């Protein structure tokens, strides 16, 4: 029997939240189906966001990519590749939604703290306190070429740089006192100058000396998401994040991850319940178990068709493989690369191609798998997929809520823009019937709806001093 106890004073809420992850660039979205809509038109984003809000989802989460993924030196033509600017899209969605949180993935390496903090603060104010920032880092020269910065940031420095960036942004968001703006026209001035503090930071990669231009929002400052899973990434999240977008949706792995984050949070001086966890997940559901099984087979057949299967191997082989039968054995020829590069995408980067091809050929032969079957087994999101009838999946999720293994799930729809319909129409009522899902929004801000406490505000006069002439970024 699985040990579900979580130490450190952690208290399960008994509730789950849902978010939607509109990826933009991915191989999981079925774009070949007749039901598929545009990946770039505003209407698709509006439809998904409003459906999610109807289902009381906590957040609408946009992925971001700073460079188009390539395939053998050309743009990857088989994957969905639509990514409008996250903050521009979320600002537009703020006008057609009322409660759902708006999460922008933004990179610390290729942004500047004062500028990004101001833009996120603007989104937070425009949306009435619903903005969030998914903090990501990048260090490769391929992406850096877009910014004339090359690979200037050593891999080991990513989180050192990111932490200085986030701390600076927090100080910018906290720079205005809550009573800085005059309460009436009888006041001598619109704003009290002594209620706005200058923020300074001198670091290795940038220097900031800014007088912030905006007051705090209804939720004080944007909610911080983070998705790094390395030991450094987990420590960073335990110190800085409000929510972790994790890669551990399977029950036992989710429990282990929760225990680890609780321990790291306590070590960082935070409470056991201070950091929420929402793993990435895929839901393929239907009215009956057999219908759900058949539906999953159909989805997989469109996610990994013959072309996609061959292209997947080409990312590792580094050469054209279109002459091979996708329903035949893996190629007997060796890769032409020793190690795959970041141009192929994060899922392929750094693989030892020659060593991996030998292992894969042996595995496929042992299991009797064709190219298409083998690739499907590698890309089917086994750990991240909830497949079954609405009732049986809801029953499974009760254990997650009861133990606090997760605080919710960030769902990647496999179909745009209708991929949330069955979840909202059928799964959500089942979860509500079991008492593990909200029946209304808790408040008007994302922080309230996630059950997050208001951030601790620095003492007056401190924010302008912290980091002045110190730290590395």
């Amino acid at each position: 029997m699985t040990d579900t106890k979580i130490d450190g004073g952690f208290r399960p809420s008994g509730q789950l939240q849902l978010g939607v992850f509109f990826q933009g660039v991915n191989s999981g979205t079925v774009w070949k189906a007749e039901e598929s809509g545009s990946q770039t038109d505003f209407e698709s984003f509006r439809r998904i966001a409003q459906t999610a809000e109807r289902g009381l989802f906590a957040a609408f989460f946009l992925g971001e990519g700073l460079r188009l993924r390539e395939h053998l030196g050309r743009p990857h033509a088989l994957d969905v590749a639509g990514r409008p600017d996250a903050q521009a899209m979320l600002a537009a969605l703020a006008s057609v939604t009322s409660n759902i949180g708006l999460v922008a993935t933004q990179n610390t390496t290729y942004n500047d703290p004062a500028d990004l903090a101001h833009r996120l603060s603007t989104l937070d104010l425009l949306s009435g306190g619903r903005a969030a920032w998914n903090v990501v880092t990048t260090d490769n020269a391929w992406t850096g070429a877009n910014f004339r910065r090359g690979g200037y940031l050593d891999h080991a420095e990513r989180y050192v740089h990111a932490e200085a960036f986030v701390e600076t942004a927090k100080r910018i968001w906290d720079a205005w006192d809550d009573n800085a703006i005059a309460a009436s026209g009888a006041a001598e001035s619109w704003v009290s100058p002594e209620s706005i503090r200058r923020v300074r930071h001198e670091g290795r990669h940038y220097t900031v000396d800014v007088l912030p231009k905006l007051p705090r929002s209804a939720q004080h400052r944007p909610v911080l998401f983070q998705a790094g899973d390395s030991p450094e990434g987990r420590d960073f999240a335990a110190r800085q994040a409000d929510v972790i977008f994790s890669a551990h949706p399977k029950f036992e792995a989710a429990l282990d991850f929760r225990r680890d984050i609780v321990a790291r949070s306590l070590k960082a001086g935070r409470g056991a319940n201070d950091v929420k966890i929402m793993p990435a997940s895929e839901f393929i559901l239907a009215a009956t178990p057999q219908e759900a099984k058949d539906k999953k087979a159909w989805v997989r057949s469109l996610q990994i068709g013959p072309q996609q299967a061959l292209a997947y191997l080409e990312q590792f082989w580094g050469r054209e493989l279109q002459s091979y039968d996708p329903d035949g054995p893996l190629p007997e020829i060796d890769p032409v690369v020793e190690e795959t590069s970041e141009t192929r995408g994060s899922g392929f980067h750094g693989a030892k191609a020659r060593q991996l091809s030998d292992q894969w050929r042996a595995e496929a032969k042992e299991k009797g798998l064709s190219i298409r079957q083998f690739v499907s087994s590698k890309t089917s999101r086994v750990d991240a997929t909830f497949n079954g009838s609405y009732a049986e999946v809801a029953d499974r999720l009760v254990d997650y809520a009861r133990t606090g293994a997760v605080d919710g799930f960030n769902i990647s729809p496999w179909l745009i823009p209708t991929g949330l319909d069955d979840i909202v129409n059928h799964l959500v009522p089942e979860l509500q019937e079991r008492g593990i899902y909200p029946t209304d929004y808790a408040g008007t801000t994302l922080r309230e709806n996630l059950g997050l406490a208001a951030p601790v505000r620095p003492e007056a006069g401190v924010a302008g001093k912290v980091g002045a002439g110190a730290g590395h970024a």
Side-chain angles (χ1 to χ4, degrees):
M1 182 176 178
T2 301
D3 179 13
T4 60
K5 185 178 179 182
I6 300 171
D7 297 320
F10 175 78
R11 299 180 306 281
S13 70
Q15 291 276 299
L16 296 176
Q17 299 272 7
L18 294 178
V20 54
F21 180 35
F22 197 121
Q23 297 183 74
V25 175
N26 70 98
S27 57
T29 301
V30 174
W31 57 268
K32 283 181 172 290
E34 291 183 6
E35 302 91 331
S36 179
S38 171
Q39 307 295 320
T40 57
D41 287 354
F42 177 71
E43 178 60 19
S44 291
F45 292 82
R46 182 203 62 77
R47 174 77 158 73
I48 284 279
Q50 290 184 339
T51 300
E53 188 166 73
R54 179 166 61 84
L56 304 176
F57 278 44
F60 178 91
F61 193 115
L62 277 181
E64 183 71 293
L66 299 178
R67 185 155 180 142
L68 187 64
R69 181 178 153 198
E70 295 181 3
H71 180 71
L72 302 182
R74 303 183 299 274
H76 198 330
L78 295 177
D79 281 6
V80 169
R83 272 182 172 162
D85 177 74
Q87 288 189 68
M89 179 58 72
L90 293 176
L93 291 174
S95 69
V96 296
T97 57
S98 302
N99 295 285
I100 195 166
L102 305 167
V103 189
T105 299
Q106 299 285 272
N107 198 298
T108 55
T109 308
Y110 302 116
N111 276 292
D112 292 300
D115 174 62
L116 181 58
H118 179 68
R119 287 186 284 116
L120 287 168
S121 183
T122 300
L123 178 62
D124 209 20
L125 286 167
L126 287 175
S127 64
R130 294 188 283 137
W133 171 21
N134 178 41
V135 183
V136 295
T137 65
T138 302
D139 64 327
N140 66 72
W142 180 67
T143 301
N146 282 7
F147 303 91
R148 297 183 180 179
R149 296 182 181 179
Y152 81 98
L153 187 63
D154 289 341
H155 185 78
E157 286 189 44
R158 288 184 307 152
Y159 286 113
V160 175
H161 176 275
E163 193 135 24
F165 192 116
V166 170
E167 285 289 348
T168 302
K170 285 181 175 180
R171 294 202 302 275
I172 291 171
W173 293 328
D174 288 338
W176 285 50
D177 287 343
D178 292 333
N179 60 354
I181 299 175
S184 75
E188 293 184 4
S189 60
W190 183 79
V191 67
S192 173
E194 61 271 16
S195 296
I196 304 174
R197 291 179 291 281
R198 185 177 296 277
V199 175
R200 296 184 177 92
H201 174 85
E202 292 182 11
R204 189 175 305 161
H205 298 295
Y206 57 78
T207 297
V208 172
D209 184 350
V210 59
L211 197 60
K213 295 179 285 185
L214 291 174
R216 299 209 297 176
S217 75
Q219 67 172 354
H220 303 296
R221 64 188 186 213
V223 170
L224 295 182
F225 283 68
Q226 203 273 336
D229 198 36
S230 66
E232 296 82 5
R234 293 187 185 197
D235 281 339
F236 174 76
R239 290 190 298 267
Q240 299 291 348
D242 299 304
V243 186
I244 297 177
F245 181 20
S246 87
H248 304 283
K250 199 169 182 179
F251 185 66
E252 292 80 5
L255 279 171
D256 289 341
F257 186 77
R258 169 69 81 182
R259 294 188 186 101
D260 184 61
I261 293 302
V262 167
R264 292 174 192 265
S265 297
L266 294 173
K267 186 178 179 181
R270 302 179 70 185
N273 286 76
D274 282 1
V275 182
K276 306 295 183 182
I277 299 173
M278 297 180 70
S281 306
E282 179 188 54
F283 283 69
I284 304 177
L285 311 174
T288 69
Q290 185 59 50
E291 286 177 305
K293 184 178 179 181
D294 294 343
K295 189 175 184 178
K296 180 181 176 181
W298 174 75
V299 171
R300 293 289 183 255
S301 71
L302 290 174
Q303 287 174 327
I304 304 297
Q307 287 180 292
Q308 285 85 355
L310 291 171
Y312 183 87
L313 292 188
E314 288 175 343
Q315 301 293 324
F316 296 96
W317 261 252
R319 64 196 304 168
E320 296 278 358
L321 298 174
Q322 296 302 312
S323 61
Y324 285 83
D325 180 3
D327 294 314
L330 268 64
E332 71 284 356
I333 57 174
D334 288 329
V336 297
V337 293
E338 293 289 342
E339 182 175 306
T340 58
S341 75
E342 62 272 359
T343 66
R344 295 171 170 83
S346 60
F348 305 92
H349 181 208
K352 304 296 183 184
R354 291 181 181 275
Q355 179 181 341
L356 198 63
S357 64
D358 289 340
Q359 294 173 354
W360 281 2
R361 278 191 288 252
E363 180 183 344
K365 184 177 181 180
E366 180 184 351
K367 296 179 179 179
L369 299 178
S370 67
I371 290 175
R372 182 156 40 164
Q373 291 170 327
F374 180 80
V375 171
S376 182
S377 74
K378 293 298 179 186
T379 60
S380 63
R381 308 181 187 183
V382 173
D383 290 344
T385 300
F386 289 88
N387 177 228
S389 71
Y390 307 116
E392 66 180 358
V393 169
D395 286 339
R396 287 173 59 191
L397 297 184
V398 169
D399 285 339
Y400 286 85
R402 176 181 58 82
T403 61
V406 302
D407 295 286
F409 298 92
N410 215 16
I411 299 172
S412 299
W414 46 267
L415 188 65
I416 299 295
T418 59
L420 293 183
D421 289 7
D422 58 348
I423 295 170
V424 170
N425 294 338
H426 303 291
L427 179 64
V428 164
E430 294 277 0
L431 298 176
Q432 290 171 328
E433 185 177 308
R434 288 158 178 77
I436 62 170
Y437 193 79
T439 55
D440 201 354
Y441 280 105
T444 60
T445 71
L446 176 57
R447 197 172 291 279
E448 289 174 301
N449 292 328
L450 287 173
L452 294 166
V456 176
R457 186 189 181 92
E459 294 296 325
V462 173
K465 297 176 182 177
V466 177
H472 298 286

